[in-house]
């Protein structure tokens, strides 16, 4: 996976955003709430690289500080959802009978629970909802798909020879799941984690943009909300709405590239195809060529050519 160009590119982009989130206070040239009435709606300039808002706030500083909220909510929600998905999915796949069916029914219930009403309830409970509360709600409504995938894969593993041998040796359930099964599920767990990060980031920015999450919670969605409320889209003030939109798109592309790398690692066909493509590329051949023409060497004078 770490020799795959797609996954390496995605990890590099994601690492960049993580570093920006960690060092936001150092990287931001201004405070994101600093108002300067004399610098209203200024286009990009040496003083303000991404221009200013309708009250003179620096857009670059807001984008940098908004990265922290996106990264924190995305990874925290994914961690919560992944832990629940592993617990419910693996246990439901290993057990049989009413216990497995009960956990499967619980998963199906969470698949149809709407997330926006829950976010609205949380926003109404807290005057200024903290990031952990938003991440917890997104994580609680985002674990069901991962649990279904892990349950299906666990059901295919529970009758394998090494699992039957461990069960015959009297190994406890905890050891069978943690030692025997989880290592064989790590690729699926990683893919589920990355997918949940993507869904949580898109959910956070979407809910912020439509105003469900208060605008005091800094992220890229709230910047788009402010820009839309002040008519930046109609007045073509592109420096206000384009940077956060591009950041959302870029981090989505990065997570997709990481997922492609995981898929290639998990799927033997994709892995062999990728290795073949890299081998052909090293030899200077085009991987898209279906047939490579082979020209026979010309026969020497007087030599018979066999048909």
């Amino acid at each position: 996976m770490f020799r795959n160009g797609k996954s390496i590119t995605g990890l590099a982009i994601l690492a960049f955003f993580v570093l920006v989130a960690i060092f936001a206070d150092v990287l931001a040239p201004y405070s994101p709430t600093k108002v300067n009435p004399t610098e209203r709606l200024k286009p990009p300039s040496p003083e303000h690289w991404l221009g200013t808002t309708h009250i003179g706030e620096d857009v670059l500083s807001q984008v940098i500080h908004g990265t922290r909220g996106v990264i924190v909510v995305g990874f925290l929600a994914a961690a919560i959802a992944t832990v629940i998905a592993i617990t419910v999915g693996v246990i439901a796949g290993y057990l049989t009978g009413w216990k497995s069916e009960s956990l499967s029914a619980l998963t199906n219930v969470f698949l149809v629970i709407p997330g926006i009403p829950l976010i609205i309830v949380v926003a109404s409970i807290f005057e200024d909802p903290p990031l952990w509360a938003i991440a917890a709600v997104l994580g609680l409504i985002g674990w069901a798909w991962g649990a279904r995938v892990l349950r299906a894969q666990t059901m295919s593993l529970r009758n394998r020879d090494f699992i039957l041998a461990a069960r015959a040796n009297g190994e406890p359930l905890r050891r069978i799941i943690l030692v025997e099964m989880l290592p064989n599920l790590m690729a699926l767990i990683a893919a589920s984690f990355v997918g949940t990060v993507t869904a949580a980031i898109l959910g956070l920015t979407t809910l912020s943009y439509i105003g469900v999450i208060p605008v005091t919670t800094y992220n890229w969605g709230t910047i788009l909300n402010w820009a839309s409320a002040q008519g930046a889209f109609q007045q073509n003030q592109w420096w206000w709405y384009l940077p956060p939109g591009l950041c959302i798109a870029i981090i989505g592309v990065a997570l997709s590239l990481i997922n492609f790398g995981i898929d290639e690692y998990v799927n033997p066909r994709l892995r062999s195809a990728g290795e073949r493509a890299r081998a052909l590329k090293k030899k200077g051949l085009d991987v898209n060529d279906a047939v490579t023409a082979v020209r026979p060497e010309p026969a020497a004078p007087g030599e018979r050519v066999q048909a």
Side-chain angles (χ1 to χ4, degrees):
M1 173 181 166
F2 293 101
R3 293 177 299 185
N4 186 299
K6 295 178 182 178
S7 57
I8 292 174
T9 303
L11 288 171
I13 297 173
L14 183 61
F16 169 77
F17 281 109
V18 171
L19 291 176
V20 170
I22 294 174
F23 300 103
D25 296 329
V26 178
L27 296 175
Y30 303 95
S31 170
T33 57
K34 182 181 179 180
V35 177
N36 189 351
T38 62
E39 297 288 337
R40 297 175 62 251
L41 296 175
K42 292 292 183 180
S45 64
E47 292 78 17
H48 302 280
W49 289 4
L50 294 181
T52 60
T53 67
H54 66 296
I55 56 177
E57 298 168 324
D58 184 65
V59 176
L60 176 60
S61 301
Q62 291 185 347
V63 171
I64 290 175
H65 280 273
T67 306
R68 179 174 294 172
V70 169
I71 295 297
V72 169
V73 171
F75 278 87
L76 184 56
I80 295 172
T82 302
V83 170
I84 299 175
I86 292 173
T87 305
V88 176
V90 175
I91 294 177
Y94 182 80
L95 298 177
T96 58
W98 67 270
K99 297 179 181 179
S100 176
E101 295 300 327
S102 299
L103 292 175
S104 179
L106 177 66
T107 303
N108 293 333
V109 168
F110 273 86
L111 279 174
V112 298
I113 290 180
I116 292 181
L118 285 178
I119 297 289
I120 295 175
V121 171
V122 172
S124 63
I125 294 176
F126 298 94
E127 183 178 352
D128 188 6
L131 292 177
W132 65 263
I134 300 172
V137 175
L138 291 173
L140 288 174
I141 62 177
W143 61 269
W145 283 110
R148 283 179 65 90
V149 174
L150 290 174
R151 178 177 180 266
Q153 186 64 22
T154 304
M155 291 176 68
S156 69
L157 288 176
R158 68 186 181 188
N159 293 323
R160 299 284 180 88
D161 292 340
F162 63 95
I163 299 295
L164 295 176
R167 192 183 306 168
N169 289 334
E171 299 288 349
L173 176 61
R174 180 180 66 254
R175 177 175 174 79
I176 292 176
I177 291 177
L178 294 178
V179 179
E180 302 293 344
M181 283 192 168
L182 281 186
N184 293 280
L185 298 173
M186 287 307 298
L188 287 176
I189 292 171
S192 175
F193 180 85
V194 173
T196 309
V197 172
T198 306
I201 290 176
L202 293 177
L204 172 68
T205 53
T206 301
L207 293 170
S208 300
Y209 174 69
I210 64 178
V212 173
I213 297 175
V215 295
T216 52
T217 304
Y218 267 100
N219 61 75
W220 299 330
T222 55
I223 300 174
L224 292 173
N225 177 276
W226 295 328
S228 177
Q230 298 301 322
F233 295 94
Q234 292 78 14
Q235 301 174 24
N236 197 26
Q237 295 159 358
W238 57 268
W239 61 87
W240 194 352
Y241 61 81
L242 191 59
L246 284 177
C247 287
I248 296 172
I250 291 172
I251 198 170
V253 170
L255 292 168
S256 298
L257 290 174
I258 295 172
N259 232 340
F260 291 155
I262 295 174
D263 287 341
E264 184 172 319
Y265 175 77
V266 174
N267 193 324
R269 288 188 176 180
L270 293 177
R271 185 166 64 248
S272 60
E275 292 173 354
R276 177 177 174 273
R278 286 190 289 269
L280 290 176
K281 190 175 182 180
K282 288 181 180 179
K283 295 179 180 179
L285 301 176
D286 189 358
V287 67
N288 295 319
D289 289 342
V291 178
T292 302
V294 179
R295 294 183 179 179
E297 296 182 0
E303 183 181 352
R304 263 181 95 178
V305 179
Q306 296 180 355

